[in-house]
């Protein structure tokens, strides 16, 4: 967006004009999220959820904003709510893996990354996530096939190769 402030003002005005539009609040919240206005984004998503509790997108982005503020427990709770509303959505499973990984809960993180991979075999970041979870538990033998698959899926990604080099070292 060339002028995010102008877009924010436009969506804010749109929300004020039509305060019962769930989609307006979600759009406003997403823009706030991507401009690092996490507190306001959370409020916007909560208003969208108040209008309609069954929108997984609002729960997903609310969770991401909470996690960006390092409120992992509430963020994980919101991700689980999104998962209930849209079971098996690989993006939600991936974000659950990331959230648990940020907490240092390697076993649970690996489970969610593997669930994501089961549905989306081409998510190279999920393959890397599993590898890193095993690596953090000092289990290189289990990590290696996952990091190799991530590299196979995205051979030009230097970060994957560097992670593998670190594991080998």
């Amino acid at each position: 967006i060339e002028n995010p402030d102008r877009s924010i003002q436009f969506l804010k005005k749109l929300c004020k004009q039509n305060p019962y539009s769930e989609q307006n609040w979600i759009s406003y919240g997403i823009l706030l999220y991507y401009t690092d206005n996490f507190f306001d984004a959370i409020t916007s998503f909560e208003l969208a959820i108040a209008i309609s509790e069954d929108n997984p997108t609002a729960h997903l982005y609310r969770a991401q904003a909470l996690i960006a503020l390092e409120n992992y427990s509430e963020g994980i709770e919101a991700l689980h709510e999104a998962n209930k509303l849209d079971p098996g959505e690989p993006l939600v499973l991936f974000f659950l893996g990331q959230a648990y990984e940020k907490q240092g809960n390697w076993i649970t993180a690996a489970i969610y990354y593997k669930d994501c991979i089961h549905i989306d075999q081409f998510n190279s970041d999920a393959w890397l996530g599993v590898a890193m979870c095993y690596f953090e538990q000092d289990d290189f033998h289990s990590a290696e096939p996952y990091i190799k698959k991530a590299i196979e899926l995205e051979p030009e990604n230097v970060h994957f190769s560097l992670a593998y080099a670190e594991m080998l070292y």
Side-chain angles (χ1 to χ4, degrees), residues 83 86-91 93 112-123:
N83 194 37
D86 193 4
E89 167 55 44
L91 189 59
L93 298 170
Y112 282 106
Y113 284 137
K114 286 179 183 179
D115 287 348
C116 175
I117 290 168
H118 182 72
I119 298 165
D120 179 7
Q121 298 171 2
F122 299 103
N123 187 326

Side-chain angles (χ1 to χ4, degrees), residues 80-147:
H80 281 293
E81 188 61 35
N83 194 37
K84 284 182 205 170
L85 295 169
D86 193 4
E89 167 55 44
L91 189 59
V92 174
L93 298 170
F94 175 76
F95 286 143
L96 276 163
Q98 275 191 331
Y100 282 110
E101 184 178 0
K102 287 177 182 178
Q103 286 188 311
N105 188 337
W106 312 117
I107 294 169
T108 305
I111 290 168
Y112 282 106
Y113 284 137
K114 286 179 183 179
D115 287 348
C116 175
I117 290 168
H118 182 72
I119 298 165
D120 179 7
Q121 298 171 2
F122 299 103
N123 187 326
S124 56
D125 289 320
W127 287 94
L128 175 68
V130 177
M132 295 309 292
C133 289
Y134 281 127
F135 184 66
E136 289 294 334
Q137 297 175 77
D138 295 323
D139 185 357
F140 176 72
H141 180 72
S142 296
E144 190 173 25
Y146 289 95
I147 188 69

Side-chain angles (χ1 to χ4, degrees), residues 4 14 18 31-32 45 60 77 79 98 114 121 133 140 155 165:
L14 194 62
N18 190 359
L31 183 56
L32 291 168
F45 296 126
L60 175 66
E77 187 179 310
L79 284 169
Q98 275 191 331
K114 286 179 183 179
Q121 298 171 2
C133 289
F140 176 72

Side-chain angles (χ1 to χ4, degrees), residues 154-163:
E154 213 174 313
E156 71 284 350
N157 190 321
V158 176
H159 298 290
F160 293 175
S161 297
L162 290 172

